[in-house]
Amino acid sequence: MMEQLQSAAEEWSFLKKLGFRFFFTLFVLFVLFYPNGFFPYFDYLFEIYIQPFRSLIPWIGTHILHTTNEAAAHPTGSGDTLYDWVTLFFISMLSVAVTIVWSIVPTNRKNYNVLYYWLTVLVRYYLAFTMLTYGFYKVFKLQFPFPSSGTLMEPYGNSSPMRLAWTFMGFSKGYNYFTGFGEVFSGVFLLFRRTKTMGALLSLVVAANVMAINYCFDVPVKLLSTTLVVMSLFLLAKDLQRLLQFLVLNTTAAPADIATPTFKKPWINKALVVVKYGTILFIFVTYIYQGSEALSQYGDDAPKPALYGIYTTEQFVKNKDTLTPLATDSLYWHKLIVGSYGYATVMAMNDSLHAYVFETDTAAKKITMYTDADTTNKSILQYSQMNNTLQLNGIWQHDTVSIKMQQFPLQNFRLINRGFHWVSEYPFNK
């Protein structure tokens, strides 16, 4: 079995034992219910054991919490769904119940030093791999893409707080590197016992900043980011007195106790070292490979669609009648905004926006447009492009149209052409 830590003779107080039992149960359950890709391919195992709870959680929401809507599990890209919050309630109540039972059962155990060590290992690796995941996404600039043509045309006032945050982050590649490497370094430091305090301090700063953005800009990852802050504080709790002595009181701080429980059979300890470094190497190779592959599909350097950009209408002919561009007209195209991922937006003269699936056949010089709500009603337009002029001819909503458009150079946007300046005589806040 395992040899005890040096402080094995220390006797914990009842409150310390109580707190440990609760957080031990809570953190273990949180990792199991919110793996968050904390280990590659762990999701396959997650899909097996989570199945019974996908029926239990909605039942708890309906019959115990009396939620108005059903707390059903459904992938939406949000980490703060009703299902997620009911799950958090469930594991919190289960942690309280386990803590009570654990405290009632008679035991002569003076402390939980060994179990505490393995809990910190779990929390360190979960926090580290989460930081590494988000960090590499920023380093490869996959999480926050550069503002699209549609975003550049959207007024500030029409933007959601989350879109505003995404635009702010996506504009600067340098700031992505700064925040991304901060997360990567904190993750690396957390992987080793000697640097875990440094990693926890750095992850606390990084995670607190992310949490603040999530709360202040209504980004639906509040639950996870808050947990990362709590986990960082948990890892720092043991060193709190040392940190106060060194950082606040300016006195000598004792070295950290980084003793680790070991198995009596040496081969087991050696095997654990091999597994640890093998896992770290696997994680880094996986993140770098996946990030490099994703760059060609989702990053700023990914190929843009053939007609990507913003086009302003110069002439709109409907059924052989040339329409006058009136400010109240909801039919006349004022602008066509072609974005990535097969979508485009038509801005009418009255500034109303209409989103369409936008399929381009470059060989046949043909565009097919339709809405997600009605995939059967499709409009087909032939296109020709010369220099910056785009000509569209065909059927649009059962009418024959001929539309002549002029492409708007994206470099004309101040956000893009302003650039960087070491010397500024006056603030350029426009």
Side-chain angles (χ1 to χ4, degrees):
M1 296 299 292
M2 303 186 68
E3 296 179 356
Q4 297 296 309
L5 297 175
Q6 294 178 358
S7 56
E10 172 195 2
E11 184 167 357
W12 288 11
S13 66
F14 173 76
L15 289 179
K16 188 174 180 179
K17 290 180 181 178
L18 196 68
F20 170 79
R21 292 161 184 163
F22 173 77
F23 281 106
F24 178 88
T25 309
L26 182 65
F27 285 150
V28 170
L29 289 175
F30 189 91
V31 172
L32 289 175
F33 278 85
Y34 301 94
N36 195 42
F38 112 96
F39 190 81
Y41 310 112
F42 184 81
D43 288 341
Y44 294 108
L45 178 61
F46 171 76
E47 289 298 325
I48 296 175
Y49 69 74
I50 200 62
Q51 291 303 323
F53 297 99
R54 285 183 173 159
S55 298
L56 176 62
I57 298 301
W59 185 91
I60 292 174
T62 302
H63 295 87
I64 297 180
L65 298 178
H66 304 290
T67 57
T68 304
N69 300 319
E70 183 184 8
H74 51 281
T76 63
S78 170
D80 295 336
T81 64
L82 181 59
Y83 177 87
D84 292 315
W85 286 106
V86 175
T87 301
L88 180 63
F89 169 80
F90 168 68
I91 65 175
S92 298
M93 293 302 99
L94 183 58
S95 299
V96 171
V98 170
T99 301
I100 294 173
V101 173
W102 194 350
S103 301
I104 292 175
V105 175
T107 177
N108 294 323
R109 184 179 295 274
K110 293 182 178 181
N111 57 58
Y112 295 102
N113 286 329
V114 175
L115 206 55
Y116 171 78
Y117 170 81
W118 290 113
L119 177 61
T120 59
V121 170
L122 174 67
V123 172
R124 279 199 297 122
Y125 276 64
Y126 181 85
L127 188 57
F129 290 152
T130 302
M131 287 294 176
L132 288 171
T133 299
Y134 283 104
F136 276 111
Y137 264 96
K138 291 182 179 67
V139 169
F140 284 102
K141 208 171 183 300
L142 298 172
Q143 185 179 7
F144 302 107
F146 191 83
S148 66
S149 55
T151 301
L152 292 170
M153 284 298 299
E154 185 176 26
Y156 280 113
N158 289 346
S159 170
S160 68
M162 179 176 174
R163 171 64 67 84
L164 182 61
W166 248 243
T167 303
F168 163 74
M169 291 293 299
F171 166 75
S172 173
K173 183 177 291 187
Y175 193 64
N176 273 262
Y177 290 155
F178 179 78
T179 56
F181 279 116
E183 291 175 333
V184 169
F185 288 143
S186 67
V188 172
F189 289 144
L190 284 166
L191 292 173
F192 305 97
R193 286 180 293 116
R194 292 183 180 277
T195 57
K196 80 170 183 66
T197 301
M198 180 63 187
L201 282 170
L202 188 53
S203 67
L204 175 62
V205 174
V206 172
N209 179 61
V210 173
M211 183 180 71
I213 292 176
N214 291 344
Y215 277 91
C216 299
F217 288 84
D218 195 31
V219 180
V221 198
K222 304 175 187 69
L223 194 157
L224 176 63
S225 59
T226 304
T227 302
L228 298 182
V229 170
V230 173
M231 285 183 168
S232 300
L233 291 171
F234 172 79
L235 292 176
L236 290 171
K238 185 178 180 181
D239 295 314
L240 181 59
Q241 184 176 353
R242 296 177 55 252
L243 291 172
L244 287 174
Q245 289 173 336
F246 181 73
L247 297 175
V248 180
L249 301 178
N250 196 28
T251 59
T252 303
D257 180 9
I258 58 173
T260 174
T262 57
F263 290 88
K264 292 183 178 180
K265 296 183 178 180
W267 70 267
I268 299 180
N269 299 316
K270 295 178 181 179
L272 287 176
V273 172
V274 172
V275 169
K276 172 181 178 177
Y277 286 96
T279 300
I280 294 174
L281 178 62
F282 174 74
I283 291 290
F284 271 83
V285 171
T286 300
Y287 285 159
I288 294 173
Y289 172 76
Q290 291 179 345
S292 301
E293 287 290 304
L295 271 178
S296 60
Q297 301 177 22
Y298 309 109
D300 290 346
D301 298 330
K304 296 293 189 293
L307 299 178
Y308 180 87
I310 301 169
Y311 301 86
T312 302
T313 301
E314 292 187 339
Q315 185 182 61
F316 194 103
V317 179
K318 172 189 172 185
N319 297 328
K320 298 183 179 180
D321 293 329
T322 301
L323 302 184
T324 302
L326 301 176
T328 57
D329 197 336
S330 61
L331 175 65
Y332 191 106
W333 290 17
H334 179 38
K335 294 184 185 297
L336 172 66
I337 306 163
V338 181
S340 301
Y341 314 119
Y343 281 88
T345 301
V346 171
M347 176 185 289
M349 287 300 299
N350 63 355
D351 290 338
S352 60
L353 300 174
H354 309 275
Y356 296 94
V357 177
F358 193 84
E359 298 175 351
T360 306
D361 186 340
T362 55
K365 297 292 183 178
K366 182 178 67 175
I367 296 169
T368 303
M369 298 175 65
Y370 56 92
T371 64
D372 285 323
D374 186 2
T375 58
T376 59
N377 185 18
K378 298 182 178 182
S379 296
I380 299 177
L381 302 168
Q382 296 295 135
Y383 76 89
S384 60
Q385 193 173 27
M386 182 176 294
N387 297 326
N388 292 327
T389 301
L390 176 67
Q391 180 68 45
L392 302 177
N393 298 288
I395 305 298
W396 173 254
Q397 296 181 352
H398 311 295
D399 292 313
T400 301
V401 296
S402 176
I403 310 172
K404 182 181 179 181
M405 314 191 82
Q406 192 71 18
Q407 187 170 13
F408 179 84
L410 297 182
Q411 288 298 325
N412 287 358
F413 281 104
R414 183 179 293 152
L415 183 66
I416 296 177
N417 65 36
R418 168 60 181 167
F420 175 82
H421 299 78
W422 283 111
V423 179
S424 297
E425 299 297 340
Y426 301 97
F428 195 78
N429 187 13
K430 297 185 178 181

